[in-house]
Amino acid sequence: MKAKVYVNLKSGVLDPQGKAIQHSVELLGFSGISDVRQGKYFEISLDGSMDNQRALESVEKMAREVLSNPIIEDYRVEIET
Amino acid sequence: MKFGVIVFPGSNCDHDAYHVISKHVGQPVDFIWHRDTDLSTYDALILPGGFSYGDYLRAGALARFSPVMNSVKKFAESGRFVLGICNGFQILCEAGLLPGALIRNRDLHFICEHVYVRVETSDSPFTNELQSGTVLRIPIAHAEGNYICDDNTLAELQRENRIVFRYCDKDGNVTEAANPNGSRDNIAGICNRERNVLGLMPHPERACEDLLGSSDGRDIFRSLAATLAAAA
């Protein structure tokens, strides 16, 4: 059982890294890009002792309290069995 | 009066802070390892600069979970004084002791240079020996010093006179050109509502000796010492 957590800067929060990446890929000739936002991705392996609902609640709490800073970031959790 | 400098794994300005308190403020000071939790003998704490936990996850994010931080929260709630410098400021924001967050500098660079900051208020335990409007020349050294907060928080900081330092030019003009990292409203340092917790990105402890290019930082530590002396 695995939890996947995606953490992204909230829209409106400046992402200079995303901007630099966009600039670089455009220099390399990739076109048609309107924006790049860089985020974080966590894979958390679970030992199977929790059912899906409890695992989701537990990982959501982890994402809210540790993996993201709610002032600047949003998160999304997926549980994969 | 007794000072404590908290040492997280990866702190690297702890000795500078210790040096300033012992030599320039002339008061007793201890290093406090991040696993210690008894802060009962201290009157003021410094959370120093550095790269606690390698800045993993987010700057200051993991230091917040160090055992000492629960005690730091209670210490602050008791009205005693907490000064967070650079990484210390980031930790105080992550821990919720100060509002807002510090994100990557606008231009991505790690900036290491002397800048000018204007003292916005002398109404704080950290600036009461300074006139508001005074311009200090103090170095910054950070990649994540871009202060952001939502509109309500900014309005609250302004209304409650809690913006203690702003980036400015050498004549004290707060301009976008004098903003090194993109910080909202040129914010370089803020305090909490009770005014006993201050965080700032510039390094006053690196500006206490003329030999190092500036001694303007001393007045911040002198203010704190004067506050403590008056309270004793």
Side-chain angles (χ1 to χ4, degrees):
Chain A
M1 194 185 207
K2 209 175 254 181
K4 297 178 171 180
V5 182
Y6 302 84
V7 175
N8 281 91
L9 284 171
K10 285 181 193 288
S11 63
V13 174
L14 179 75
D15 179 11
Q17 294 182 101
K19 283 268 172 278
I21 293 162
Q22 178 178 353
H23 183 62
S24 295
V25 294
E26 283 171 345
L27 280 178
L28 284 169
F30 293 94
S31 60
I33 299 163
S34 63
D35 195 20
V36 176
R37 305 280 289 169
Q38 180 177 314
K40 293 177 186 140
Y41 167 63
F42 304 84
E43 259 186 22
I44 299 165
S45 298
L46 303 170
D47 63 10
S49 58
M50 290 182 280
D51 63 27
N52 272 17
Q53 188 54 35
R54 270 195 57 215
L56 182 65
E57 285 166 10
S58 171
V59 176
E60 290 241 351
K61 189 168 191 289
M62 194 189 309
R64 191 166 55 244
E65 295 179 3
V66 184
L67 302 180
S68 73
N69 177 341
I71 297 169
I72 50 171
E73 293 166 324
D74 292 323
Y75 62 85
R76 180 163 57 85
V77 177
E78 290 172 5
I79 301 289
E80 197 175 76
T81 46
Chain B
M1 79 184 70
K2 193 171 182 192
F3 288 79
V5 176
I6 298 184
V7 182
F8 297 97
S11 294
N12 65 9
C13 302
D14 41 348
H15 285 263
D16 305 61
Y18 185 100
H19 169 78
V20 166
I21 298 302
S22 58
K23 182 170 176 196
H24 296 298
V25 180
Q27 295 297 333
V29 53
D30 287 339
F31 288 119
I32 302 167
W33 183 233
H34 72 115
R35 292 193 175 281
D36 294 342
T37 51
D38 180 6
L39 303 175
S40 58
T41 60
Y42 300 100
D43 302 296
L45 297 176
I46 298 175
L47 276 65
F51 299 86
S52 56
Y53 296 87
D55 276 353
Y56 292 172
L57 192 61
R58 296 177 305 278
L62 298 183
R64 172 184 143 210
F65 299 103
S66 276
V68 76
M69 284 307 294
N70 270 333
S71 304
V72 170
K73 274 190 183 171
K74 290 188 189 121
F75 187 91
E77 282 162 12
S78 76
R80 287 174 286 171
F81 303 101
V82 179
L83 171 62
I85 301 169
C86 196
N87 189 225
F89 184 14
Q90 294 163 339
I91 295 168
L92 291 174
C93 286
E94 281 282 343
L97 285 166
L98 290 172
L102 293 144
I103 62 168
R104 186 57 76 101
N105 294 342
R106 175 187 50 205
D107 299 324
L108 281 173
H109 304 289
F110 187 101
I111 309 170
C112 189
E113 62 185 20
H114 279 74
V115 298
Y116 295 98
V117 295
R118 192 173 75 186
V119 178
E120 298 295 290
T121 174
S122 56
D123 178 20
S124 90
F126 309 89
T127 53
N128 54 22
E129 295 282 294
L130 285 152
Q131 295 280 330
S132 103
T134 303
V135 176
L136 306 176
R137 186 169 171 271
I138 298 182
I140 54 170
H142 60 245
E144 279 98 7
N146 182 352
Y147 180 80
I148 69 158
C149 63
D150 61 29
D151 294 345
N152 288 340
T153 305
L154 182 65
E156 189 180 296
L157 290 172
Q158 290 167 337
R159 192 174 58 242
E160 296 176 354
N161 201 19
R162 288 164 53 193
I163 301 171
V164 182
F165 300 105
R166 274 202 178 90
Y167 299 108
C168 64
D169 65 18
K170 67 177 171 34
D171 300 316
N173 302 304
V174 172
T175 63
E176 191 49 36
N179 186 344
N181 53 26
S183 286
R184 188 148 198 208
D185 205 25
N186 281 47
I187 286 174
I190 55 168
C191 67
N192 63 343
R193 185 168 288 139
E194 294 74 23
R195 311 190 85 76
N196 63 317
V197 177
L198 172 80
L200 78 169
M201 287 313 294
H203 284 273
E205 83 287 10
R206 294 190 193 176
C208 290
E209 273 143 356
D210 291 332
L211 188 64
L212 297 179
S214 168
S215 56
D216 290 357
R218 277 196 209 179
D219 291 332
I220 294 171
F221 298 100
R222 280 192 186 141
S223 294
L224 181 53
T227 304
L228 291 169

